[in-house]
PDB file of all heavy atoms in Angstrom:
ATOM      1  N   GLY A  35      21.736  -9.086 -12.224  1.00 90.00           N
ATOM      2  CA  GLY A  35      22.737 -10.080 -12.613  1.00 90.00           C
ATOM      3  C   GLY A  35      22.733 -11.343 -11.762  1.00 90.00           C
ATOM      4  O   GLY A  35      23.530 -12.255 -11.989  1.00 90.00           O
ATOM      5  N   GLY A  37      20.499 -13.614 -11.722  1.00 95.00           N
ATOM      6  CA  GLY A  37      19.991 -14.753 -12.474  1.00 95.00           C
ATOM      7  C   GLY A  37      18.480 -14.895 -12.531  1.00 95.00           C
ATOM      8  O   GLY A  37      17.962 -15.977 -12.818  1.00 95.00           O
ATOM      9  N   LYS A  38      17.769 -13.807 -12.325  1.00 95.00           N
ATOM     10  CA  LYS A  38      16.297 -13.868 -12.328  1.00 95.00           C
ATOM     11  C   LYS A  38      15.750 -14.267 -13.691  1.00 95.00           C
ATOM     12  O   LYS A  38      14.925 -15.177 -13.814  1.00 95.00           O
ATOM     13  CB  LYS A  38      15.706 -12.503 -11.914  1.00 95.00           C
ATOM     14  CG  LYS A  38      16.079 -12.057 -10.526  1.00 95.00           C
ATOM     15  CD  LYS A  38      15.513 -10.704 -10.169  1.00 95.00           C
ATOM     16  CE  LYS A  38      16.084  -9.554 -10.988  1.00 95.00           C
ATOM     17  NZ  LYS A  38      17.543  -9.377 -10.817  1.00 95.00           N
ATOM     18  N   SER A  39      16.239 -13.584 -14.727  1.00 93.00           N
ATOM     19  CA  SER A  39      15.686 -13.848 -16.062  1.00 93.00           C
ATOM     20  C   SER A  39      16.064 -15.241 -16.547  1.00 93.00           C
ATOM     21  O   SER A  39      15.249 -15.929 -17.188  1.00 93.00           O
ATOM     22  CB  SER A  39      16.183 -12.781 -17.043  1.00 93.00           C
ATOM     23  OG  SER A  39      15.798 -11.501 -16.586  1.00 93.00           O
ATOM     24  N   THR A  40      17.274 -15.664 -16.204  1.00 94.00           N
ATOM     25  CA  THR A  40      17.704 -17.019 -16.589  1.00 94.00           C
ATOM     26  C   THR A  40      16.794 -18.064 -15.931  1.00 94.00           C
ATOM     27  O   THR A  40      16.374 -19.038 -16.562  1.00 94.00           O
ATOM     28  CB  THR A  40      19.169 -17.242 -16.146  1.00 94.00           C
ATOM     29  OG1 THR A  40      19.968 -16.163 -16.642  1.00 94.00           O
ATOM     30  CG2 THR A  40      19.708 -18.560 -16.672  1.00 94.00           C
ATOM     31  N   ASP A  77       8.887 -10.657 -13.577  1.00 93.00           N
ATOM     32  CA  ASP A  77      10.332 -10.372 -13.589  1.00 93.00           C
ATOM     33  C   ASP A  77      10.542  -8.878 -13.343  1.00 93.00           C
ATOM     34  O   ASP A  77       9.790  -8.047 -13.844  1.00 93.00           O
ATOM     35  CB  ASP A  77      10.922 -10.757 -14.952  1.00 93.00           C
ATOM     36  CG  ASP A  77      12.459 -10.792 -14.916  1.00 93.00           C
ATOM     37  OD1 ASP A  77      13.041 -10.706 -13.817  1.00 93.00           O
ATOM     38  OD2 ASP A  77      13.061 -10.920 -15.998  1.00 93.00           O
ATOM     39  N   SER A  78      11.547  -8.575 -12.552  1.00 89.00           N
ATOM     40  CA  SER A  78      11.842  -7.163 -12.317  1.00 89.00           C
ATOM     41  C   SER A  78      13.324  -6.920 -12.568  1.00 89.00           C
ATOM     42  O   SER A  78      14.150  -7.792 -12.348  1.00 89.00           O
ATOM     43  CB  SER A  78      11.495  -6.785 -10.871  1.00 89.00           C
ATOM     44  OG  SER A  78      12.348  -7.465  -9.972  1.00 89.00           O
ATOM     45  N   VAL A  79      13.610  -5.718 -13.018  1.00 84.00           N
ATOM     46  CA  VAL A  79      15.015  -5.350 -13.171  1.00 84.00           C
ATOM     47  C   VAL A  79      15.599  -5.223 -11.779  1.00 84.00           C
ATOM     48  O   VAL A  79      14.987  -4.684 -10.870  1.00 84.00           O
ATOM     49  CB  VAL A  79      15.136  -4.019 -13.941  1.00 84.00           C
ATOM     50  CG1 VAL A  79      16.532  -3.454 -13.807  1.00 84.00           C
ATOM     51  CG2 VAL A  79      14.792  -4.235 -15.389  1.00 84.00           C
ATOM     52  N   GLY A  80      16.789  -5.755 -11.591  1.00 80.00           N
ATOM     53  CA  GLY A  80      17.347  -5.825 -10.237  1.00 80.00           C
ATOM     54  C   GLY A  80      17.894  -4.519  -9.710  1.00 80.00           C
ATOM     55  O   GLY A  80      18.193  -3.584 -10.437  1.00 80.00           O
TER      56      GLY A  80
HETATM   57 MG1  LIG B 502      16.857  -9.777 -15.857  1.00 57.39          MG
END
Side-chain angles (χ1 to χ4, degrees):
K38 298 179 294 298
S39 302
T40 308
D77 193 10
S78 66
V79 166

